[in-house]
Amino acid sequence: MKKKRLPITNIGTAILLMVFIVLCMITFSALSLSSAFRDAEMGQKAANRITEYYTASGKAEELLATADDAFSYAYEQTSDPAEYYRLVHKELLLTALKPIWTGETLDVSFQVEINDSQALLVTIDVLSPQQVRETGAKAFYNILSWQVIRTDTWEGDDTLKLLH
């Protein structure tokens, strides 16, 4: 009498393989969902930082427009560089701008707050009336710096968040 042979793959192996595949799919879907949430959070933070920067940049442009009015007023009043710088200095003292006399030229510096820990620092070099005439400049100043600076002190955090 012949013995019946059992097939190599029986029903128990197929069920174990199916359970393993389902567990792998659940694990990968959970990882994908977690990654998507993290990416959305990082994207929102980046969008907020960009919005804050451009809001501060707009305020800086408004302050430059105020300074430009002071430069234009002084330019119309006199062509003497010493008198021009004196008038500009006097007009700027009425604003939030800080005039800095460097000896031969006048620089103007100001900060616009971006958020609690950053500010936009702008420094411009005021052109003399002769420089404006000679170069045919469309502005009364050259921008020397337009940079984001930290306004708070950095405190390192060496702790690790293992579970979030």
Side-chain angles (χ1 to χ4, degrees):
M1 194 156 89
K2 274 186 158 178
K3 288 186 176 182
K4 283 189 170 181
R5 290 187 162 193
L6 294 174
I8 294 176
T9 57
N10 57 20
I11 192 99
T13 308
I15 289 176
L16 286 177
L17 184 61
M18 181 79 83
V19 168
F20 177 73
I21 289 173
V22 168
L23 285 175
C24 287
M25 290 176 62
I26 289 172
T27 302
F28 288 137
S29 64
L31 289 173
S32 294
L33 188 61
S34 172
S35 176
F37 281 133
R38 180 73 58 175
D39 287 347
E41 183 181 323
M42 285 176 38
Q44 186 61 43
K45 284 181 181 179
N48 289 343
R49 280 193 304 269
I50 290 170
T51 301
E52 289 171 345
Y53 172 79
Y54 281 110
T55 300
S57 183
K59 290 177 184 175
E61 290 287 346
E62 290 173 5
L63 286 171
L64 282 178
T66 301
D68 213 21
D69 291 341
F71 303 148
S72 177
Y73 170 77
Y75 184 77
E76 291 170 1
Q77 296 298 316
T78 185
S79 62
D80 177 43
E83 181 65 18
Y84 173 76
Y85 287 132
R86 189 189 69 71
L87 284 172
V88 166
H89 190 273
K90 178 182 167 189
E91 290 290 320
L92 291 180
L93 288 177
L94 302 174
T95 66
L97 308 173
K98 293 186 290 188
I100 306 164
W101 183 253
T102 61
E104 293 182 14
T105 62
L106 180 67
D107 291 346
V108 177
S109 178
F110 61 93
Q111 277 185 205
V112 177
E113 185 176 310
I114 295 176
N115 54 34
D116 294 340
S117 63
Q118 293 179 322
L120 181 63
L121 175 66
V122 179
T123 306
I124 60 172
D125 178 35
V126 180
L127 300 176
S128 70
Q130 287 79 13
Q131 289 173 315
V132 172
R133 276 190 227 101
E134 289 171 4
T135 61
K138 295 180 181 176
F140 295 100
Y141 56 87
N142 289 325
I143 297 176
L144 298 177
S145 72
W146 188 282
Q147 64 184 12
V148 176
I149 59 169
R150 297 213 48 93
T151 56
D152 65 347
T153 57
W154 181 77
E155 295 178 16
D157 183 14
D158 58 357
T159 60
L160 295 175
K161 292 182 181 177
L162 297 177
L163 297 175
H164 187 51

